[in-house]
Amino acid sequence: MVVVTGQNKVSGNPDDAMSSSDAEDDFQEPATPTATQAGQALPLLPQQFPEVVPLNVGGMYFTTRLSTLRRYEDTMLAAMFSGRHYIPTDAEGRYFIDRDGTYFGDILNFLRSGDLPPRERVRSVYKEAQYYSIGPLLDNLEDVQPLKGEKVRQAFLGLMPYYKDHLERIIEIAKLRAMQRKARFAKLKVCVFKEEMPITPYECPHFNSLRFERSESETKLFEHHCEVDVSFGPWEAVADVYDLLHCIVTDLSDRGITVDHQCIGVCDKHLINHYYCKRPIYEFKITWW
């Protein structure tokens, strides 16, 4: 019995078979180049865009002029539609951008006529403007609420040593206690104080003078750590303890953490003579579900 392999069949009749070079030429000319082949191929010609551009941004459809997308030169959109980069299209021929399109309409409205989004969408549009590198929109958004107020708030928090670290500590302690006790919530004590030196009814009227008259050795007599889980302070600014408490609760809430707090007294640690600590102590209750 004679067995004829595919190789023998091809080589057995050279007149009926393609040459190896012809076969390679056919193989190297697919209808649609793969990503690997495209990288090795010659550079593509600049992509041409119509004057009216249909867009598919993460499944949401938009239509705008090409000049709108190129409004500001130093933006990602201007670079994408400059012709130097290849933009894929969907089945309907719309140019596809793989990004959530929820706030893309606000981006287009600014590029068209300089309109800014409503206050409730400012933060989200700001993130999109960062992604698309639209500097003029970022500058405009930073001058309106709530971002303008956030810049002031961050300037205040910049005076607070280890603020973010303390937030993380609150979360970790509350999570650990809730897991250990298999409880829905956890409580912890937080001290928030603005002044480094203690304030008592005897000291209030002359606090500044007394503060600077104390020697270094006397000052050390007032140094101590309150018996709490986390302590914030001191700082030098007009903003007071309630302002910082608002910041703490706001930042925890932004991370999806439900928190309640109340003042449960002051630190009564005796320091020297008639001086006591008197820093306010707050009980934080964090609910996990």
Side-chain angles (χ1 to χ4, degrees):
M1 180 175 65
V2 178
V3 179
V4 180
T5 65
Q7 181 179 1
N8 292 336
K9 185 175 180 179
V10 173
S11 60
N13 192 349
D15 295 334
D16 295 336
M18 294 186 297
S19 68
S20 61
S21 60
D22 291 337
E24 291 177 357
D25 290 341
D26 288 346
F27 180 75
Q28 293 174 356
E29 295 178 1
T32 303
T34 64
T36 302
Q37 292 167 336
Q40 298 174 349
L42 294 175
L44 297 174
L45 294 175
Q47 190 173 12
Q48 301 296 321
F49 297 101
E51 181 61 28
V52 177
V53 182
L55 298 169
N56 177 345
V57 184
M60 300 182 68
Y61 305 143
F62 303 89
T63 304
T64 189
R65 293 174 64 91
L66 181 61
S67 58
T68 299
L69 297 172
R70 296 175 175 175
R71 176 77 64 192
Y72 299 103
E73 294 182 357
D74 297 332
T75 67
M76 180 184 293
L77 289 173
M80 291 172 64
F81 290 90
S82 64
R84 302 190 302 270
H85 306 281
Y86 175 74
I87 309 297
T89 57
D90 62 11
E92 302 299 326
R94 304 182 186 90
Y95 295 97
F96 180 72
I97 299 177
D98 192 12
R99 182 76 175 175
D100 187 349
T102 303
Y103 303 102
F104 192 76
D106 293 302
I107 298 292
L108 286 181
N109 286 337
F110 177 80
L111 295 177
R112 289 165 176 155
S113 55
D115 293 341
L116 298 179
R119 176 171 178 169
E120 62 270 16
R121 296 207 299 268
V122 165
R123 292 181 185 273
S124 299
V125 175
Y126 187 83
K127 292 181 180 179
E128 293 304 296
Q130 288 179 313
Y131 176 79
Y132 292 110
S133 301
I134 306 176
L137 178 53
L138 292 172
D139 293 339
N140 277 271
L141 292 177
E142 288 175 356
D143 285 334
V144 300
Q145 289 287 55
L147 294 183
K148 190 176 185 66
E150 181 62 18
K151 290 176 66 176
V152 177
R153 191 177 80 96
Q154 290 300 328
F156 162 56
L157 293 179
L159 303 175
M160 197 64 50
Y162 311 111
Y163 175 76
K164 293 184 178 179
D165 294 338
H166 291 341
L167 286 183
E168 293 297 331
R169 181 167 173 78
I170 288 175
I171 296 172
E172 288 301 317
I173 292 175
K175 181 176 68 174
L176 180 61
R177 288 181 181 172
M179 294 181 66
Q180 289 176 339
R181 301 171 184 176
K182 309 299 187 292
R184 188 166 66 94
F185 61 86
K187 296 180 180 180
L188 62 160
K189 293 181 179 180
V190 178
C191 177
V192 181
F193 65 101
K194 181 177 179 179
E195 304 290 352
E196 177 66 52
M197 306 299 287
I199 299 178
T200 70
Y202 304 96
E203 190 173 10
C204 281
H206 307 287
F207 175 74
N208 288 332
S209 61
L210 289 173
R211 178 180 182 180
F212 291 107
E213 287 176 359
R214 293 179 180 138
S215 65
E216 182 178 351
S217 60
E218 290 175 331
T219 299
K220 290 183 178 180
L221 295 175
F222 293 92
E223 294 178 355
H224 81 286
H225 298 285
C226 302
E227 296 181 359
V228 295
D229 298 298
V230 183
S231 186
F232 291 85
W235 68 89
E236 293 184 5
V238 175
D240 59 20
V241 169
Y242 298 103
D243 296 321
L244 182 58
L245 284 170
H246 181 272
C247 292
I248 296 171
V249 173
T250 298
D251 290 334
L252 291 175
S253 298
D254 287 345
R255 298 182 59 172
I257 297 175
T258 302
V259 54
D260 297 306
H261 69 281
Q262 62 178 342
C263 184
I264 58 175
V266 296
C267 176
D268 279 330
K269 182 176 178 60
H270 178 254
L271 302 178
I272 183 174
N273 297 331
H274 56 270
Y275 294 110
Y276 293 80
C277 175
K278 300 304 180 184
R279 294 171 181 170
I281 306 298
Y282 294 84
E283 180 183 76
F284 274 50
K285 178 182 177 182
I286 294 181
T287 304
W288 290 105
W289 81 85

